[in-house]
């Protein structure tokens, strides 16, 4: 049931409605709370649309109504579109914050229909309340919704569901994420493995011949070549003279 998902420990619950159910929003929220054992007399407190929202005393009286009983209550506010007709954004945020400060207020529910908000910066106003919310229920279509939950530790979950609605309850079912699959390789196609690949170290006959005939640059520079020296004698060279005795000057 939808009530199992939104009636939790999260205190500020914001409903973003794209399905035009604002007129029956308080009835819907009351029904969801009843499914979780909440009592319409003692623990469910709603500020009706019919009250004079222009007077700030109306909000003060509602706050006292929520906090004077021993039982913790669930405060259901009018839609944001109705509140903005009579009160500023700052005052609405202040009132919501005041409710949350009270230990007697267990949860606060605020219904927002973006299409009905008349404000020069409607998108920013909606974003501000989404930022403050602990749980955001987004009624996307007549059969799909999403729930964003912010937990005390900072974790955030975002889940999508399909739902059906009857006179008694909302029935929801989680939308399973389909994992991405890659097409299987054909049997006749070789598969390549980039991890742990091997390389060839043997050489066939042609590769061996090519390797042996290859001369590297350092081998070319170290090769020896035959050379000859051509000497042209000068005019003073005497090749016919007898070889002198190196011991001629010795008295032996």
């Amino acid at each position: 049931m939808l009530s199992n998902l939104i009636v939790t420990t999260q205190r500020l619950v914001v409903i973003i409605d794209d399905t035009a159910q604002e007129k029956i929003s308080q009835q819907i929220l009351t029904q969801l709370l009843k499914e979780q054992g909440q009592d319409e007399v003692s623990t469910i407190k709603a500020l009706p649309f019919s009250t004079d929202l222009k007077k700030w005393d109306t909000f003060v009286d509602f706050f006292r109504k929520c906090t004077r009983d021993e039982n913790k209550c669930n405060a259901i506010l009018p839609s944001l579109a109705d509140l903005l007709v009579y009160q500023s954004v700052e005052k609405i945020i202040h009132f919501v914050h005041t409710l949350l400060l009270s230990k007697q207020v267990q949860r606060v529910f605020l219904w927002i229909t973006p299409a009905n908000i008349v404000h020069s910066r409607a998108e920013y106003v909606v974003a501000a309340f989404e930022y403050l919310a602990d749980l955001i229920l987004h009624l996307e279509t007549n059969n799909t919704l999403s729930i964003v939950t912010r937990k005390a530790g900072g974790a955030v979950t975002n889940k999508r569901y399909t739902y059906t609605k009857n006179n008694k309850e909302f029935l929801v079912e989680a939308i399973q994420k389909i994992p991405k699959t890659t097409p299987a390789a054909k049997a006749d196609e070789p598969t390549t493995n980039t991890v742990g690949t091997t390389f060839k170290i043997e050489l066939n006959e042609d590769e061996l011949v090519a390797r042996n005939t290859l001369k590297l640059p350092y081998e070319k520079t170290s090769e020896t070549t035959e050379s000859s020296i051509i000497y042209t004698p000068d005019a003073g060279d005497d090749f016919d003279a007898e070889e002198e005795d190196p011991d001629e000057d010795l008295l032996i």
Side-chain angles (χ1 to χ4, degrees):
M1 294 187 294
L2 179 61
S3 59
N4 293 331
L5 302 175
I6 69 169
V7 183
T8 61
T9 57
Q10 277 63 39
R11 299 191 65 200
L12 178 55
V13 180
V14 169
I15 299 92
I16 306 297
D17 178 19
D18 290 332
T19 61
Q21 300 187 67
E22 184 174 296
K23 290 184 178 180
I24 59 172
S25 59
Q26 291 197 346
Q27 291 92 323
I28 292 174
L29 293 173
T30 300
Q31 175 185 328
L32 294 174
L33 288 168
K34 285 182 177 180
E35 290 176 3
Q36 295 301 311
Q38 301 296 321
D39 182 19
E40 191 171 0
V41 177
S42 60
T43 61
I44 301 176
K45 308 295 183 181
L47 183 58
F49 301 115
S50 57
T51 55
D52 191 355
L53 299 177
K54 188 175 182 179
K55 295 181 179 179
W56 189 249
D57 290 342
T58 302
F59 296 89
V60 175
D61 292 341
F62 180 71
F63 176 78
R64 291 173 180 170
K65 181 181 177 181
C66 292
T67 57
R68 68 187 176 189
D69 295 334
E70 294 182 358
N71 296 324
K72 293 184 177 181
C73 74
N74 298 273
I76 302 177
L77 301 180
S79 68
L80 181 60
D82 288 335
L83 291 173
L84 286 173
V85 174
Y86 304 101
Q87 301 294 336
S88 65
V89 176
E90 293 79 8
K91 283 191 172 183
I92 298 171
I93 293 177
H94 172 72
F95 182 65
V96 171
H97 182 65
T98 302
L99 287 172
L100 294 174
L101 287 177
S102 174
K103 295 181 180 180
Q104 293 303 109
V105 178
Q106 191 170 11
R107 302 176 192 87
V108 177
F109 294 87
L110 179 61
W111 196 282
I112 301 177
T113 304
N116 294 348
I117 294 178
V118 180
H119 194 276
S120 58
R121 296 192 174 185
E123 293 182 0
Y124 295 98
V125 173
V126 174
F129 285 97
E130 288 180 332
Y131 177 79
L132 296 173
D134 300 312
L135 187 149
I136 303 171
L137 167 64
H138 187 185
L139 300 175
E140 300 173 350
T141 66
N142 289 326
N143 59 5
T144 60
L145 59 86
S146 63
I147 297 178
V148 177
T149 305
R150 296 187 180 97
K151 298 182 180 180
V156 178
T157 61
N158 187 352
K159 298 181 180 180
R160 298 186 71 244
Y161 303 85
T162 58
Y163 73 93
T164 56
K165 176 178 172 292
N166 54 38
N167 295 331
K168 293 184 178 181
E169 59 186 358
F170 272 86
L171 300 176
V172 297
E173 182 178 354
I175 298 177
Q176 300 292 335
K177 292 184 178 180
I178 302 176
K180 294 182 179 180
T181 57
T182 56
K186 295 181 180 180
D188 56 348
E189 291 183 357
T191 58
T192 58
N193 183 11
T194 58
V195 180
T197 55
T198 59
F199 58 92
K200 180 181 176 182
I201 61 175
E202 296 86 3
L203 298 177
N204 56 33
E205 185 177 352
D206 294 336
E207 293 171 339
L208 187 59
V209 172
R211 188 196 68 175
N212 293 334
T213 57
L214 177 65
K215 290 187 178 297
L216 299 178
Y218 73 88
E219 293 178 326
K220 293 180 181 179
T221 57
S222 62
E223 289 179 352
T224 58
T225 57
E226 295 181 358
S227 60
S228 58
I229 300 175
I230 301 175
Y231 176 74
T232 304
D234 293 333
D237 292 340
D238 185 6
F239 291 98
D240 297 333
E242 296 181 356
E243 185 177 353
E244 296 182 355
D245 184 4
D247 298 330
E248 184 179 359
D249 57 340
L250 297 177
L251 300 175
I252 299 177

